[in-house]
Amino acid sequence: MSDATDPSEKAFVSVLFGEDELGIVVRAHIHIEARLLELLELLIVDVKHLERMDLDFAQRVNLAVALGLKAEHAPPLLALGTLRNVFAHRLDTQLSEDRVNNLYASLSAGDKEVVQLAYERTKTQLAKRDAPLFKKLSPKERFMLIAVALRGMLLVAIREIQARRKEV
């Protein structure tokens, strides 16, 4: 299914653009966790046992890595989970420079490149040549780009597994 026609893609984008910082972080996390669960369901033979384990987000990330998700993807997913927990438990939490910088720092070099390229493509598509550098964007804008990259990374992993299954 193409992302352009994927209802979950449209819902994800609307969350990113239609919420305050709390809503963006919590709902982006929910969307990304849904993709993580989709990945786990592809990797596990009997899904009902996964449900019985009642794993938290960090445990799901670690299980996904144990089952084949690239280890370089664990740190940013775990950092996202930590960030979501901060927002979920404190009313006054904001997407500060430090919080978003820490999330960005957790990305692998390849994932940082994906975020940067996505931003450059977006600027080109919107004909915004005078747009600021990525590091000059607001924390909210940088978080949005990172969230898109994390979700995309999981979608790529899902598609790779689906393609391997078709080959067998």
Side-chain angles (χ1 to χ4, degrees):
M1 174 181 299
S2 147
D3 285 344
T5 60
D6 182 355
S8 71
E9 176 75 11
K10 289 179 183 176
F12 182 66
V13 170
S14 74
V15 159
L16 293 178
F17 284 99
E19 296 279 346
D20 61 1
E21 291 179 354
L22 170 67
I24 287 172
V25 171
V26 171
R27 285 190 170 82
H29 182 276
I30 290 168
H31 281 265
I32 290 167
E33 186 169 22
R35 298 295 68 81
L36 179 62
L37 286 169
E38 185 179 347
L39 175 70
L40 285 170
E41 288 172 2
L42 288 170
L43 293 169
I44 293 175
V45 175
D46 191 346
V47 177
K48 69 181 173 227
H49 291 284
L50 174 64
E51 293 165 3
R52 289 181 190 151
M53 293 171 74
D54 194 30
L55 302 175
D56 66 23
F57 184 75
Q59 292 168 324
R60 289 175 177 165
V61 169
N62 287 316
L63 179 59
V65 171
L67 295 171
L69 180 65
K70 292 178 184 174
E72 68 190 39
H73 298 315
L77 289 169
L78 294 171
L80 175 66
T82 299
L83 182 60
R84 191 224 53 102
N85 287 342
V86 171
F87 270 85
H89 299 291
R90 297 217 37 209
L91 288 173
D92 61 342
T93 304
Q94 295 181 336
L95 270 173
S96 66
E97 289 285 329
D98 285 344
R99 286 189 173 106
V100 176
N101 287 343
N102 288 339
L103 180 59
Y104 183 76
S106 70
L107 296 169
S108 68
D111 288 340
K112 286 177 183 170
E113 189 175 324
V114 167
V115 170
Q116 296 287 341
L117 288 171
Y119 178 55
E120 292 304 317
R121 273 193 227 127
T122 301
K123 285 186 343 186
T124 301
Q125 290 172 348
L126 298 175
K128 299 249 181 179
R129 291 180 181 82
D130 59 342
L133 296 172
F134 175 80
K135 65 183 178 183
K136 298 288 185 181
L137 294 172
S138 72
K140 181 179 175 181
E141 292 167 323
R142 285 184 312 204
F143 174 82
M144 290 167 57
L145 288 163
I146 294 167
V148 168
L150 291 175
R151 183 178 180 278
M153 170 267 304
L154 289 169
L155 288 171
V156 167
I158 289 166
R159 288 181 183 136
E160 287 173 353
I161 293 165
Q162 290 169 332
R164 273 189 256 140
R165 286 194 172 174
K166 287 180 183 175
E167 291 173 1
V168 177

